[in-house]
Amino acid sequence: MSKFELKLPQMGESVAEATLTTWLKEVGDTIEMDEAVFEIATDKVDSEVPSEVEGVLVEKLFNIDDIISVGQTVAIIEIQDGSSDTVAVEDSKPVAAAAIEQEIESVKDVVSAPVTDYSGTDRFYSPLVKNIAKEEGVSVAELDQIAGTGKEGRVTKNDILEYVENGKSGKQVASAQEASPVTPNVASSAPVRNEVVASEVASNAKMANGDEVIPMSRMGKLIAQYMRDSISTSAHVQSFIEVDVTNVVNWRNKNKISFEKREGEKLTFTPIFMEAVAFALKKYPMMNISLDGDTVVKKKNINIGMAAALPDGNLIVPVIKNADQLNLVGMAKAVNDLATRSRNNKLKPDEIKEGTYTVTNVGTFGSVFGTPIINQPQVGILALGAIRKVPSVIETPEGDFIGIRSKMFLSHSYDHRVVNGALGGMFVKAVADFLEAWDVNREI
């Protein structure tokens, strides 16, 4: 018998650690190759981690809710001696090597940072925690006051993010002030006082008898932070346009049954809208960009994010890669597959990254239009309103008359730092023109 170390694999370029959420196997259980052993959650996606070998689980090295770094050994699996032993161990080496290289790079980033030196403390802080502290302007003294929830009282990523999210105020700041006999100078006391007051206002919400306190989920907190950061980062501007989608509605009604029989897939409106957006992004490539400091990055690939609601009320954005290269059948299959696996929590980490533009369907819930928040570091997001039958003026060579048409609103939010009103308006107009010119005789 020999033992195999099951390590936390690389979950994506920007993911350095994950939270262990569920053990799917117990000590003594037999494990098949590629069978899921445990579940983890990152700030990007939840995922199962499968075994690379067949064997018996003999040891679990982490508990639920523990933070695990990429490349760390999570479980020990006992396997039969044979060639598969060597292959499995060797296969795991690149993962560990990549994790070590990533850790080295993280340490280099921290060491090279000229702003704050975190070496003047006896307390251990991971490179990730130091990077977050550096980016958020958290001093060594503040770090030392944070009560860590990790092993041996270490400060975890969640601890530092919660500290930052609370405005560096609350109990931790209060306890630091009580412990220090030094009176702060006037210049530094003003912002601290404002933060404490803001925190007190937020925490003094009156509660009546019968009110229920519901803690936010981990994903809910992350989404809230991302939304707030996006509003703070981008200068949001909106353009709205009404679109006559009567031809699209009639065409879909005519083809949806035969399409489902032939392809085994439902034909919804979403792939049609995605095709229209891909067309507009190709026509106006300066909407397919991101802003990196003072540099605009023009994306080669058109990767459209598709906001999907989860059963718990949260939101996730799987990405359709190279959407402009898909025909309508391929787009429908991609949309249905990503939507189904989003709801079932089966997305892979690579499927929610590298998006260059996002579409959200607010019409699913009956909304006519909305003002969506940009998915950073993108510069635009399109909200699809509900399709409604409305009376409309129809122009003909014989004169104008009133008829019933199927119409919807497109709501385009874009970053006014790099996208002016003309480009933002022309882009959403291109989407509308594509839909209004839909060929009712199109073959699929």
Side-chain angles (χ1 to χ4, degrees):
M1 292 287 185
S2 59
K3 294 182 179 180
F4 176 82
E5 295 182 351
L6 180 59
K7 301 176 185 292
L8 180 66
Q10 181 69 52
M11 308 301 294
E13 294 178 22
S14 60
V15 178
E17 62 182 21
T19 302
L20 178 63
T21 56
T22 307
W23 277 104
L24 302 175
K25 293 290 182 179
E26 297 298 331
V27 172
D29 287 353
T30 300
I31 300 171
E32 302 293 331
M33 184 176 292
D34 293 328
E35 187 176 8
V37 180
F38 57 90
E39 292 181 349
I40 55 96
T42 72
D43 59 355
K44 302 289 186 183
V45 69
D46 296 350
S47 181
E48 295 178 344
V49 177
S51 173
E52 301 171 48
V53 297
E54 295 180 3
V56 176
L57 181 63
V58 295
E59 188 176 359
K60 298 191 295 187
L61 303 181
F62 289 92
N63 297 318
I64 292 175
D65 293 331
D66 282 353
I67 305 297
I68 309 169
S69 298
V70 169
Q72 276 191 295
T73 301
V74 185
I76 304 295
I77 299 173
E78 193 172 63
I79 59 178
Q80 295 287 343
D81 288 327
S83 59
S84 61
D85 179 10
T86 304
V87 173
V89 173
E90 289 180 352
D91 285 348
S92 69
K93 288 180 181 178
V95 177
I100 293 171
E101 289 177 5
Q102 180 182 8
E103 199 69 20
I104 291 172
E105 290 302 318
S106 299
V107 173
K108 285 181 179 178
D109 290 341
V110 175
V111 172
S112 62
V115 179
T116 307
D117 180 12
Y118 293 101
S119 61
T121 177
D122 294 331
R123 195 177 186 187
F124 173 81
Y125 299 109
S126 70
L128 178 62
V129 169
K130 291 179 182 178
N131 278 332
I132 295 174
K134 179 184 68 175
E135 292 171 2
E136 299 294 340
V138 178
S139 66
V140 176
E142 289 177 292
L143 267 183
D144 287 341
Q145 295 298 327
I146 298 176
T149 60
K151 286 187 176 181
E152 300 177 356
R154 290 182 180 178
V155 175
T156 66
K157 180 184 72 172
N158 290 341
D159 295 333
I160 182 71
L161 288 178
E162 183 177 355
Y163 178 74
V164 172
E165 187 176 344
N166 291 335
K168 305 179 189 177
S169 61
K171 294 181 180 178
Q172 291 169 327
V173 170
S175 63
Q177 290 174 340
E178 290 171 5
S180 174
V182 180
T183 303
N185 59 46
V186 175
S188 63
S189 64
V192 172
R193 177 173 175 78
N194 289 339
E195 289 171 354
V196 173
V197 170
S199 177
E200 289 175 352
V201 170
S203 62
N204 285 341
K206 293 183 178 179
M207 295 180 58
N209 290 335
D211 288 352
E212 182 182 4
V213 177
I214 304 175
M216 290 181 69
S217 67
R218 181 193 60 84
M219 183 174 283
K221 289 180 181 179
L222 289 170
I223 292 173
Q225 183 67 40
Y226 289 156
M227 295 300 98
R228 190 175 67 180
D229 289 346
S230 182
I231 290 293
S232 300
T233 300
S234 296
H236 282 65
V237 175
Q238 283 80 31
S239 292
F240 306 92
I241 191 167
E242 190 176 30
V243 190
D244 189 331
V245 291
T246 304
N247 288 348
V248 173
V249 172
N250 292 339
W251 178 86
R252 175 181 172 270
N253 289 338
K254 183 176 69 173
N255 290 281
K256 63 182 181 180
I257 296 177
S258 60
F259 180 86
E260 185 172 2
K261 287 181 179 178
R262 188 185 76 219
E263 302 293 339
E265 301 277 352
K266 290 188 179 296
L267 180 61
T268 66
F269 288 109
T270 303
I272 299 172
F273 297 140
M274 290 295 185
E275 185 178 79
V277 171
F279 167 82
L281 287 172
K282 208 160 189 177
K283 185 174 182 180
Y284 294 104
M286 289 308 291
M287 281 304 310
N288 198 51
I289 66 172
S290 63
L291 186 60
D292 183 11
D294 296 328
T295 305
V296 172
V297 180
K298 187 177 178 183
K299 301 293 185 178
K300 176 183 177 182
N301 298 328
I302 294 177
N303 301 333
I304 303 178
M306 179 184 73
L310 299 176
D312 62 1
N314 287 315
L315 201 67
I316 198 166
V317 186
V319 177
I320 301 173
K321 305 288 179 65
N322 298 308
D324 57 315
Q325 299 177 19
L326 296 175
N327 61 19
L328 196 55
V329 174
M331 188 75 80
K333 289 179 179 293
V335 166
N336 291 342
D337 174 57
L338 290 174
T340 299
R341 289 194 290 116
S342 294
R343 290 190 291 268
N344 295 330
N345 197 27
K346 298 294 184 182
L347 288 175
K348 300 175 183 176
D350 285 346
E351 292 173 328
I352 59 167
K353 66 179 185 179
E354 298 179 3
T356 61
Y357 189 86
T358 299
V359 176
T360 179
N361 190 354
V362 299
T364 302
F365 311 104
S367 296
V368 179
F369 53 80
T371 55
I373 298 174
I374 295 168
N375 188 12
Q376 298 296 326
Q378 300 166 21
V379 298
I381 180 172
L382 186 70
L384 310 172
I387 298 175
R388 303 170 302 141
K389 289 184 178 181
V390 296
S392 178
V393 175
I394 301 173
E395 298 178 354
T396 70
E398 291 75 28
D400 299 343
F401 65 93
I402 301 295
I404 303 300
R405 307 292 289 178
S406 294
K407 290 194 170 186
M408 66 182 295
F409 280 97
L410 301 178
S411 310
H412 186 209
S413 291
Y414 48 94
D415 190 344
H416 211 14
R417 296 177 301 164
V418 287
V419 180
N420 58 32
L423 176 58
M426 288 189 295
F427 173 82
V428 71
K429 181 66 163 57
V431 177
D433 289 344
F434 184 93
L435 296 172
E436 290 189 340
W438 192 264
D439 183 2
V440 293
N441 297 313
R442 176 174 173 174
E443 296 290 336
I444 185 171

